[in-house]
Amino acid sequence: MNTHAPLIDPFARAIDYLRVSVTDRCDFRCVYCMSENMTFLPKKELLTLEELDRMCSTFIRLGVRKLRITGGEPLVRRDIMTFFRAMTRHLDSGALSELTLTTNGSQLSRFASDLHAAGMRRINVSLDTLDEAKFAQITRWGRLPQVLNGIDAAQKAGLRVKINAVALKGFNEDELFRLQEWCASRDMDLTFIEVMPMGDLGNEDRLDQYWSLKDLRARLAERFTLIDLAERTGGPARYVQLQETGQKIGFITPLTHNFCESCNRVRLTCTGELYMCLGQEDMADLRAPLRASADDTALENAIRAAIARKPKGHDFDYSRQKVDGQVSRHMSHTGG
């Protein structure tokens, strides 16, 4: 019998979804996520793989049912499969209902079959363009064929792939239907994400890149019959089905559509900081209680105290045409 009370926040939301960044490093330098010359954290600040196991296992004991691993690029973390294989025991016991991953796809050719063997069944791949030159431009270091090969490997291994595309004005607007058709042809769901005001990257004014998903949706509606779907996957996406193709398209609109009322998730950074809300600076240091004692009581207490501070919603707002409510940290630190 589980004697642990579940994690309930002040607004009666059960927190059962944990996103964990396992590294701040990445083999790409996407312009909306990182600056080109990033300074990465010293290794000693990062949670070790054993600490990540203990941390996640504690959250699972407190009722977390879904674990999404992010980065940076999670698959560039040395020996990361050790951690995934450790999490398999929670899937086997039924304590964890889903273990999943958000990746840039660059390492999937190497890891797809191992991930499936560890119990993973679906992954999200971040991909904003199918144009090789534009891909190299936006990722700075990335190469599209490597990612496409990775997606092939993932599907071959039995992983269901969802594509996440950041909607960027003047960059991938003209690829809307190309992306949609490509995903349909491969039986992959597609989610569009509005660009977010995170981190000062030195060379981008995010207002120039902002492409409202209302506009994107309207363009889809000119060509297809859009059926609103009630389903939620425990994340912020709203889904429609294109009646003509049957495919599912998601929209994540952190700025124009507030989805906070049903938020069931918290984020753990690679250094053990717990952010109760992606759009707020408030966080709790869980690394200190984790490292202070081999007993998990202090860690559990720190987690409960943090969840008790989870806010009702965030402060992002583009409507005033100046970037208020900006968060100073990079996406690569918090975990995309």
Side-chain angles (χ1 to χ4, degrees):
M1 185 182 118
N2 186 358
T3 54
H4 298 276
L7 295 170
I8 308 288
D9 81 355
F11 304 96
R13 297 172 296 200
I15 307 304
D16 58 8
Y17 178 4
L18 176 66
R19 299 180 60 116
V20 182
S21 168
V22 294
T23 178
D24 62 330
R25 291 164 195 265
C26 188
D27 49 346
F28 291 0
R29 291 289 179 275
C30 296
V31 296
Y32 50 76
C33 179
M34 288 188 179
S35 52
E36 187 150 18
N37 302 302
M38 288 290 288
T39 306
F40 292 112
L41 295 162
K43 288 278 198 299
K44 67 178 186 309
E45 291 195 18
L46 265 64
L47 298 182
T48 66
L49 295 173
E50 293 76 15
E51 287 174 332
L52 280 167
D53 180 345
R54 194 177 142 206
M55 186 79 82
C56 292
S57 298
T58 303
F59 272 96
I60 291 164
R61 201 163 57 240
L62 296 178
V64 161
R65 303 278 303 153
K66 177 175 175 179
L67 198 56
R68 176 174 294 282
I69 307 306
T70 68
E73 169 48 48
L75 297 180
V76 301
R77 170 100 193 229
R78 188 193 298 262
D79 297 326
I80 191 61
M81 279 311 307
T82 310
F83 169 74
F84 285 122
R85 282 190 283 265
M87 291 300 100
T88 307
R89 72 185 189 275
H90 297 305
L91 290 168
D92 291 346
S93 75
L96 191 63
S97 53
E98 185 172 43
L99 173 65
T100 179
L101 171 75
T102 296
T103 174
N104 65 25
S106 70
Q107 307 300 313
L108 283 175
S109 297
R110 285 171 60 201
F111 290 114
S113 53
D114 289 343
L115 291 169
H116 189 273
M120 201 171 286
R121 292 298 173 260
R122 64 188 190 101
I123 59 171
N124 290 358
V125 177
S126 305
L127 180 64
D128 305 325
T129 175
L130 291 168
D131 178 300
E132 213 167 313
K134 285 202 304 193
F135 185 85
Q137 177 198 341
I138 199 159
T139 62
R140 294 197 186 105
W141 297 3
R143 296 297 169 260
L144 183 62
Q146 188 181 355
V147 172
L148 298 181
N149 290 339
I151 291 169
D152 287 340
Q155 289 193 311
K156 199 172 164 189
L159 294 169
R160 181 146 184 90
V161 176
K162 177 161 79 75
I163 299 297
N164 285 345
V166 175
L168 296 163
K169 197 176 197 168
F171 179 77
N172 57 6
E173 277 173 294
D174 57 339
E175 289 189 77
L176 170 60
F177 295 109
R178 186 182 175 193
L179 278 163
Q180 169 266 316
E181 284 164 10
W182 177 69
C183 287
S185 72
R186 306 195 52 143
D187 187 29
M188 298 187 297
D189 292 329
L190 172 62
T191 292
F192 287 102
I193 304 171
E194 268 178 355
V195 69
M196 292 178 67
M198 309 269 311
D200 175 18
L201 306 186
N203 60 344
E204 289 81 32
D205 178 349
R206 229 58 68 80
L207 288 170
D208 288 347
Q209 291 181 324
Y210 177 61
W211 177 19
S212 165
L213 294 195
K214 280 200 184 86
D215 177 55
L216 188 153
R217 190 191 155 116
R219 287 194 209 176
L220 280 171
E222 287 168 13
R223 192 175 291 196
F224 299 102
T225 311
L226 272 48
I227 304 161
D228 282 296
L229 299 178
E231 73 179 272
R232 306 295 300 275
T233 57
R238 295 273 195 273
Y239 294 97
V240 299
Q241 189 171 34
L242 307 187
Q243 190 175 318
E244 291 76 2
T245 67
Q247 82 194 102
K248 207 166 74 168
I249 307 274
F251 303 98
I252 295 183
T253 52
L255 309 168
T256 56
H257 185 115
N258 207 297
F259 48 73
C260 302
E261 65 282 351
S262 59
C263 180
N264 64 339
R265 76 205 68 92
V266 287
R267 292 162 186 267
L268 185 74
T269 72
C270 50
T271 57
E273 295 171 333
L274 188 72
Y275 282 87
M276 286 65 84
C277 168
L278 176 61
Q280 302 271 17
E281 295 280 12
D282 186 34
M283 61 85 176
D285 172 18
L286 298 183
R287 187 180 64 194
L290 178 84
R291 290 186 174 172
S293 167
D295 174 65
D296 291 334
T297 310
L299 177 61
E300 284 191 19
N301 291 341
I303 291 170
R304 289 192 188 283
I307 300 302
R309 302 207 307 267
K310 186 169 165 66
K312 193 162 191 181
H314 61 59
D315 300 324
F316 288 133
D317 185 10
Y318 269 120
S319 62
R320 292 185 294 274
Q321 286 304 297
K322 67 180 195 299
V323 189
D324 277 3
Q326 271 217 2
V327 175
S328 59
R329 61 191 187 272
H330 286 94
M331 275 308 268
S332 56
H333 179 69
T334 317

